[in-house]
Amino acid sequence: MNQQLIRDEGHRNRMSLGQLEDRMQAWLSGEYQAAIFEESGEAVGYALFKREPEWIYLRQFFVVPSKRRQGIGRKAMDWLKENVWRNSPRIRLDVLVGNPTGIAFWRSLGFADYALTMELDLLK
């Protein structure tokens, strides 16, 4: 699912599936936690997050393409807020500016712009 997320959001990450698995294992054995979203016993998405003193950092959030636009992402976020993050004052996440669908989804849930990260590619 992480590899599909990278493709869907237009990320430049070119890690192999094995590299992504190793990275996920390292994250989960460290500061990060994950939640898997299921429908009828089938995994349909996940969230990867860590707790910071003042917020939850939502690093990855994914719903499989065939299940999108059916309310699963919204239900998953509601469940996380009510059951996992209920004592946290805020949630932060990053969305690539080239991912208008992701930006629209997060804004529909009430997220607002907070910061803009900029870069200069010196290899171009």
Side-chain angles (χ1 to χ4, degrees), residues 48-107:
L48 179 71
F49 60 93
K50 72 177 179 176
R51 297 175 190 279
E52 297 286 352
E54 298 292 321
W55 61 80
I56 297 295
Y57 175 57
L58 181 56
R59 183 174 191 111
Q60 297 176 357
F61 187 87
F62 177 77
V63 174
V64 296
S66 64
K67 297 293 183 175
R68 292 181 187 158
R69 304 199 59 80
Q70 298 177 28
I72 291 172
R74 183 175 298 274
K75 288 176 191 171
M77 283 299 295
D78 287 344
W79 184 87
L80 287 164
K81 289 187 295 186
E82 293 171 18
N83 297 284
V84 181
W85 304 333
R86 88 179 135 251
N87 295 323
S88 299
R90 67 184 55 86
I91 303 163
R92 287 193 179 159
L93 54 87
D94 301 313
V95 185
L96 295 175
V97 295
N99 182 5
T101 304
I103 292 168
F105 171 73
W106 294 114
R107 285 184 177 152

Side-chain angles (χ1 to χ4, degrees), residues 14-25:
R14 299 292 174 241
M15 295 172 82
S16 70
L17 185 57
Q19 291 169 319
L20 291 171
E21 289 172 355
D22 290 345
R23 182 179 70 167
M24 185 67 75
Q25 284 182 328

Side-chain angles (χ1 to χ4, degrees), residues 5-6 8 11 17 24 27 35 37-38 43-44 46 50 52 55 63 65 69 77 82 87 99 110-111 118 124:
L5 172 64
I6 290 167
D8 291 353
H11 201 285
L17 185 57
M24 185 67 75
W27 281 339
F37 316 132
E38 293 183 349
V44 295
Y46 75 97
K50 72 177 179 176
E52 297 286 352
W55 61 80
V63 174
R69 304 199 59 80
M77 283 299 295
E82 293 171 18
N87 295 323
N99 182 5
F111 283 78
M118 300 179 80
K124 283 189 176 180

